[in-house]
Amino acid sequence: DIQMTQSPSSLSASVGDRVAITCRASLSINNYLNWYQQKPGKAPKLLIYAASSLQSGVPSRFSGSGSGTDFTLTINSLQPEDFATYYCQQSYSTPRTFGPGTKVDIK
Amino acid sequence: QVQPVQSGAEVKKPGASVKVSCKAPGDTFTTSGISWVRQAPGQGLEWMGWINTHRGDTNYAQKLQDRVTMTTDTSTRTAYLELRSLKSDDAAVYYCATDYGGKGRFEYWGQGTLVTVSS
């Protein structure tokens, strides 16, 4: 199974900040990497697919980059509604595996 | 409405089975697939498997293969997850999500079904 790791596990930031979350795969997954946002008590929401493609309806302040084993989710100008937990997930092979999550909270 | 709608919360005893349903949007059901993902309390996300909603073929996570069955009813556009021989660590919120062609991109998610396992 492909192991996914994320860093940091949590971070505190202010509205307007630029935030970057990194995700690493245990082997090369090309660009088969998706990012999700989850708020408490809610289902995850797809933000980015194929490492850098913005899902329809997702604000352009979210962006993704990377290929191979190292990926980054960037949130430009953090908004109040962005405080949540973010997960990366590989879709290169089954079983599909997720990172452990990065919790973004208010400083 | 593009989000799947799932059945309600369940309380089961250890050793019992649970069956969760997921009614998917009509215009995508037979051309899509459904993956099931679960989340134990305070924990991360775990993929359980995928079913082709048109042909019915499945791909299960190996660790659950002996206890899980995924099925669909195309007449009602409903997918089902059955998990048998429940253990305490099966207690979780179970989500279905659309997964077109089994490509592993979970585009639209159900609201989740809480399964409690308690004696």
Side-chain angles (χ1 to χ4, degrees):
Chain A
D1 299 1
I2 298 175
Q3 307 303 315
M4 307 299 294
T5 57
Q6 288 182 233
S7 62
S9 56
S10 65
L11 66 90
S12 295
S14 300
V15 172
D17 284 353
R18 183 172 185 261
V19 165
I21 298 168
T22 62
C23 175
R24 177 165 290 175
S26 60
L27 54 85
S28 176
I29 57 172
N30 295 330
N31 69 335
Y32 291 91
L33 191 282
N34 307 312
W35 289 97
Y36 300 86
Q37 175 193 68
Q38 186 179 33
K39 297 180 180 179
K42 299 295 187 183
K45 173 186 175 183
L46 178 65
L47 299 176
I48 301 285
Y49 63 93
S52 60
S53 295
L54 193 67
Q55 173 71 359
S56 175
V58 173
S60 59
R61 62 181 179 273
F62 291 92
S63 64
S65 64
S67 183
T69 60
D70 295 317
F71 302 87
T72 302
L73 172 71
T74 301
I75 311 172
N76 284 303
S77 188
L78 200 66
Q79 297 300 299
E81 60 268 30
D82 301 337
F83 292 96
T85 300
Y86 293 85
Y87 294 94
C88 62
Q89 173 246 329
Q90 63 82 17
S91 53
Y92 180 79
S93 66
T94 59
R96 310 304 187 190
T97 46
F98 292 84
T102 295
K103 185 176 181 180
V104 177
D105 61 20
I106 302 172
K107 184 183 288 184
Chain B
Q1 175 67 28
V2 295
Q3 268 70 34
V5 177
Q6 298 183 221
S7 50
E10 302 265 11
V11 179
K12 297 292 181 181
K13 294 187 184 305
S17 299
V18 69
K19 193 169 187 176
V20 179
S21 69
C22 168
K23 190 174 179 71
D27 57 348
T28 61
F29 188 75
T30 54
T31 61
S32 186
I34 294 287
S35 268
W36 291 89
V37 175
R38 67 180 180 178
Q39 186 171 37
Q43 302 301 308
L45 301 164
E46 178 187 16
W47 179 79
M48 301 178 69
W50 173 81
I51 182 165
N52 181 318
T53 49
H54 180 62
R55 296 194 309 264
D57 47 298
T58 55
N59 183 347
Y60 299 144
Q62 189 170 14
K63 67 172 283 191
L64 296 170
Q65 197 156 2
D66 293 341
R67 299 194 294 128
V68 69
T69 301
M70 297 176 188
T71 55
T72 63
D73 180 343
T74 54
S75 68
T76 60
R77 307 193 318 271
T78 303
Y80 298 93
L81 167 73
E82 182 182 31
L83 187 61
R84 300 176 294 278
S85 302
L86 289 168
K87 313 169 193 177
S88 58
D89 59 4
D90 291 318
V93 176
Y94 288 73
Y95 294 103
C96 65
T98 61
D99 181 1
Y100 179 74
K103 294 181 179 178
R105 179 199 306 175
F106 310 136
E107 190 168 9
Y108 300 109
W109 294 64
Q111 82 275 20
T113 297
L114 176 63
V115 175
T116 301
V117 182
S118 173
S119 54

